[in-house]
Amino acid sequence: MTKRNLYLFNPEHDLALASGESHYMAPASARQMANDLALLPIWYAKEGSGVLASSAYNLDFLKQMKELLDIDVQLVTQPEISHAESVDFLPWGWSPALRKRLLTLGADGAQLPSEAYISALRNYSHRSQAVRLLSKLQLNQFFCGESFYLKTLEECEAFVESRETCLLKAPLSGSGKGLNWCKGTFTDFISGWCARVASSQGGVVGEPIYNKVEDFAMEFYLDGTGEISFAGYSAFQTSGSGMYAGNELLSDEKILAKLSAYVPREEFTGLRVRLEEELVRLFGGYYRGYLGVDMMICHFAGEAPVYRIHPCVEINLRMNMGLVARFLTDRYLAPETEGIFQIAYYPAEGLALKEHLRMVEEFPLRIVDGRIHSGYLSLVPVTPRSRYGAFIQCD
């Protein structure tokens, strides 16, 4: 019997995996995000799949999207899980807490990853993996990047005080989170933070700060048997603190053209080939699912070459927003259309709906032959109680 895919959006994944506890409870903000954006997987789910969400306002929204863009996905509610047979659960990412939650809802344990698999996933998601991978991707003079795994307070102190500026990272945390920016002084605050992180996660990752000019990623799919496929490029923006701020909706060719204005195109091709080899070596016989490797183009004033690729800032061993942007562009945008994809937070109830109505009025959606040519589209329903939104805006 063919398994039916059932997608669910659990943005608290990184926090839950870092905890490692099956009884982990996500903060209220993460639970709100999961609820508000529950239908996000409809945009990347395979045809004929189900997406887990409450029926209240999500069902009406899904009907609208099916009429607009011919989306072949069904809504599945939590009570239906206990009756589901032959299901392949496809969350944003796996954690002990999610496994326990699905079992509590009546899922068949034989259809879920084992506790041993998820425990191994926690080790594979550790940022020390990126430290090791980075050193293997310094292919020639067009590449840069150093990263260090610091296991003691003495190592952390020496690293911070040997540089005017640097960045410390918790080994298990979400992209743009668990970061500490340092300015040459190992303060009591930084010392306490390092001690806490090293105690629970084994160490701290230390990195120099680079003069970044572009954020991008290469996305892949591993099938669990050692086969890897390239899923595309992602071009994204981050805030000054490193938090994710949104993706550009561009074809792979346009992203590559943009990046090759800095570094010759063949360097990206060579990096992709090497990266596929290394990812299979690291995760190939174990991991099944999408993953992304975040990268940067960095500027080196007065040196040659002036621009270089930092080939491994992060490894995201899970679904990610860059892949959502890739699916949105390839499936739903007209060939020459460009745009942005963003996740937005609104500090008070009512603000999301007000902004949504303004955008609908100001940027009317234009669809021709089932493809978006221009305008604004919310990717999830917006209600008076929404605090998070996901949308695209195209021109």
Side-chain angles (χ1 to χ4, degrees):
M1 182 186 294
T2 303
K3 285 188 174 183
R4 183 193 187 195
N5 293 333
L6 179 55
Y7 294 79
L8 61 134
F9 181 59
N10 55 317
E12 76 282 1
H13 162 72
D14 293 319
L15 296 171
L17 195 64
S19 159
E21 300 293 333
S22 61
H23 59 265
Y24 171 79
M25 172 66 78
S29 58
R31 299 198 304 274
Q32 174 94 39
M33 186 180 190
N35 186 62
D36 289 349
L37 307 187
L39 279 190
L40 190 63
I42 69 173
W43 303 100
Y44 57 86
K46 288 184 178 179
E47 288 186 358
S49 300
V51 173
L52 186 66
S54 62
S55 61
Y57 42 83
N58 288 310
L59 190 56
D60 287 341
F61 179 85
L62 183 54
K63 287 178 180 176
Q64 293 171 19
M65 293 304 105
K66 285 183 175 186
E67 292 170 4
L68 274 179
L69 294 162
D70 195 27
I71 294 174
D72 181 16
V73 176
Q74 307 304 314
L75 187 143
V76 177
T77 61
Q78 288 192 4
E80 294 176 88
I81 287 180
S82 60
H83 308 296
E85 295 183 2
S86 194
V87 173
D88 191 5
F89 290 93
L90 297 172
W92 195 253
W94 283 108
S95 67
L98 177 61
R99 186 177 190 278
K100 181 183 178 184
R101 173 187 159 200
L102 291 174
L103 287 171
T104 302
L105 290 171
D108 180 353
Q111 298 182 40
L112 303 176
S114 66
E115 292 179 2
Y117 175 93
I118 296 175
S119 177
L121 177 63
R122 188 175 189 270
N123 293 328
Y124 281 121
S125 300
H126 201 270
R127 277 185 167 123
S128 59
Q129 300 284 1
V131 174
R132 284 191 283 272
L133 180 57
L134 176 60
S135 65
K136 297 177 181 179
L137 300 177
Q138 303 300 318
L139 306 186
N140 56 43
Q141 73 274 18
F142 285 106
F143 293 82
C144 67
E146 288 184 309
S147 189
F148 304 89
Y149 187 43
L150 313 169
K151 295 184 179 180
T152 68
L153 270 184
E154 290 76 21
E155 288 178 340
C156 293
E157 182 174 9
F159 182 81
V160 169
E161 297 196 338
S162 66
R163 293 163 172 79
E164 286 188 15
T165 58
C166 69
L167 177 61
L168 299 179
K169 297 179 176 180
L172 287 163
S173 63
S175 294
K177 299 176 182 175
L179 307 181
N180 230 316
W181 304 84
C182 306
K183 295 186 176 180
T185 303
F186 197 64
T187 64
D188 290 343
F189 172 82
I190 295 171
S191 174
W193 182 85
C194 289
R196 289 192 300 276
V197 170
S199 173
S200 62
Q201 301 184 15
V204 172
V205 173
E207 299 178 354
I209 293 176
Y210 296 92
N211 185 10
K212 177 183 69 179
V213 294
E214 298 285 353
D215 281 304
F216 71 104
M218 291 188 188
E219 312 287 357
F220 300 90
Y221 182 83
L222 275 166
D223 72 350
T225 70
E227 292 297 317
I228 191 169
S229 56
F230 181 63
Y233 288 94
S234 159
F236 62 97
Q237 292 84 38
T238 55
S239 67
S241 64
M243 290 289 289
Y244 170 78
N247 267 86
E248 297 177 58
L249 298 177
L250 298 171
S251 68
D252 275 341
E253 178 55 35
K254 286 182 179 179
I255 293 175
L256 197 50
K258 178 180 179 180
L259 297 174
S260 59
Y262 300 101
V263 175
R265 180 181 289 245
E266 59 266 24
E267 301 302 334
F268 297 95
T269 306
L271 172 59
R272 173 181 154 185
V273 171
R274 172 66 69 84
L275 194 49
E276 288 178 349
E277 295 170 354
E278 297 295 341
L279 289 172
V280 167
R281 195 170 288 123
L282 272 175
F283 312 121
Y286 155 78
Y287 179 71
R288 181 175 73 95
Y290 285 103
L291 68 115
V293 181
D294 290 350
M295 306 179 182
M296 302 186 293
I297 302 292
C298 301
H299 182 255
F300 292 82
E303 300 183 32
V306 174
Y307 294 103
R308 303 172 202 172
I309 302 169
H310 187 307
C312 184
V313 179
E314 304 275 0
I315 307 171
N316 292 309
L317 212 59
R318 54 166 170 74
M319 190 63 184
N320 63 72
M321 294 301 176
L323 281 159
V324 178
R326 182 77 274 130
F327 278 102
L328 285 165
T329 302
D330 296 344
R331 285 185 180 179
Y332 299 108
L333 265 57
E336 297 306 313
T337 297
E338 300 180 6
I340 57 168
F341 159 58
Q342 287 188 317
I343 304 296
Y345 169 70
Y346 303 91
E349 290 185 356
L351 294 180
L353 183 56
K354 182 179 179 180
E355 177 64 7
H356 168 68
L357 295 174
R358 183 189 73 81
M359 294 289 282
V360 167
E361 179 74 22
E362 195 167 331
F363 303 100
L365 184 65
R366 180 169 168 261
I367 296 176
V368 180
D369 297 329
R371 292 274 180 162
I372 297 169
H373 281 247
S374 61
Y376 161 85
L377 175 66
S378 177
L379 303 173
V380 294
V382 184
T383 75
R385 301 188 66 181
S386 294
R387 299 289 288 273
Y388 289 89
F391 65 89
I392 61 173
Q393 184 181 343
C394 302
D395 46 48

